[in-house]
Amino acid sequence: MSGWVAVAGLGPGGEALITLEVSAALAEATDIVGYGPYAARVAPREGLALHASDNRVELERAAFALGLAAEGRRVVVVSSGDPGVFAMASALFEALEAGPAGWRALDIRVLPGITAMLAAAARAGAPLGHDFCAINLSDNLKPWPLIERRLRLAAQADFAMAFYNPRSRARPEGFARALSVLREECGDARLVLFARAVSTPEETLRIVPLGEATAEMADMRTMVIVGSSRTRLIERPGAPILYTPRSAE
Ligand code: SAH
């Protein structure tokens, strides 16, 4: 039996948001490779080996998965959300580029998933309904000055902005700095969505003006979406709807 490797997105958390294609790959797999909490989302079964790893070893994990596939195993590398968004698909291709030439002949597929920003946006309404950008606020793999430059330029271009990895224990001050840069560029009235643990039982949504946003409102399970100058609320009984109209004027 010839091996393959699929890099699959498990979606934001809810079972109903896993695609049929990903479920089928999981059902055929002999091996699951991924960061512990993501690997733990795959139901154990006889004949399925779970290889859970630490968060910071993406390249090793990717090379390990390629090595297993080269031995003839059927490997699913799992990511949360979509595997191509700040996740394992790029790590796999970095390992492929640097690895033995023989790996390039392997059957490799990327199976998309519902990324956190789309799940969060859908819960709140349609804040990404006009032009938007996505920025990873983690400075693990890029320097802070580059993050700040991208924040300022995106704000000046009046994009709605979706922020992944807003805050970690390792760098609690980064997100506070990001908020003050955004206040300088967008003013205090700009609307901000904090969407935590979307599609899980712990889900919470909160919408505040930028002037009231604080760093403590986000953690590593939170997606932060800052609206454009056109983003607004529709008040109604219960939670308001946050949306961005389709036209710029
Ligand atoms: N590949 C993933 C993103 C990985 S980066 C995806 O496409 O969604 C991890 C960041 O994603 C977290 O810090 C958080 O900002 C966001 N995130 C992931 N799952 C989330 C969820 N269920 N609710 C809110 N944000 C989430």
Side-chain angles (χ1 to χ4, degrees):
M1 166 96 50
S2 57
W4 47 256
V5 55
V7 200
L10 297 176
E15 284 283 309
L17 299 185
I18 299 178
T19 69
L20 295 176
E21 182 178 55
V22 168
S23 296
L26 293 172
E28 286 174 31
T30 55
D31 297 80
I32 304 294
V33 175
Y35 170 46
Y38 305 152
R41 282 172 54 189
V42 178
R45 64 174 155 77
E46 185 126 345
L48 180 68
L50 283 179
H51 309 276
S53 62
D54 191 70
N55 201 9
R56 298 235 173 179
V57 292
E58 280 103 345
L59 265 190
E60 279 168 44
R61 196 191 295 155
F64 175 67
L66 288 161
L68 285 175
E71 288 166 17
R73 316 272 305 172
R74 301 186 297 278
V75 186
V76 178
V77 180
V78 289
S79 280
S80 75
D82 181 273
V85 179
F86 310 130
M88 281 302 296
S90 290
L92 191 94
F93 294 129
E94 285 168 31
L96 182 70
E97 213 173 20
W103 282 357
R104 297 187 183 200
L106 286 170
D107 175 357
I108 302 174
R109 284 169 293 155
V110 180
L111 310 182
I114 296 179
T115 188
M117 75 176 171
L118 299 184
R123 282 290 193 267
L128 305 179
H130 190 66
D131 296 346
F132 67 90
C133 66
I135 299 178
N136 186 346
L137 290 184
S138 167
D139 59 3
N140 282 344
L141 298 170
K142 64 187 167 195
W144 171 260
L146 180 61
I147 298 176
E148 178 167 338
R149 177 172 150 76
R150 287 185 177 159
L151 279 178
R152 283 196 194 280
L153 292 176
Q156 286 165 17
D158 202 17
F159 285 114
M161 294 168 269
F163 298 120
Y164 288 79
N165 291 311
R167 200 153 179 265
S168 74
R169 247 164 300 177
R171 36 178 187 81
E173 69 298 334
F175 185 52
R177 280 156 76 189
L179 286 176
S180 64
V181 168
L182 290 167
R183 270 192 290 270
E184 275 172 39
E185 299 293 340
C186 308
D188 283 356
R190 186 64 57 88
L191 292 169
V192 187
L193 166 69
F194 290 89
R196 180 171 193 279
V198 173
S199 82
T200 78
E202 296 89 51
E203 175 175 309
T204 57
L205 293 192
R206 184 166 180 183
I207 299 167
V208 296
L210 197 45
E212 289 171 26
T214 63
E216 292 66 39
M217 291 177 183
D219 65 8
M220 283 308 283
R221 298 186 73 191
T222 308
M223 186 74 225
V224 180
I225 296 181
V226 175
S228 74
S229 62
R230 303 269 296 150
T231 304
R232 52 196 187 236
L233 287 172
I234 301 175
E235 297 292 349
R236 58 173 190 155
I241 293 166
L242 179 71
Y243 96 106
T244 306
R246 291 168 302 152
S247 67
E249 300 301 327

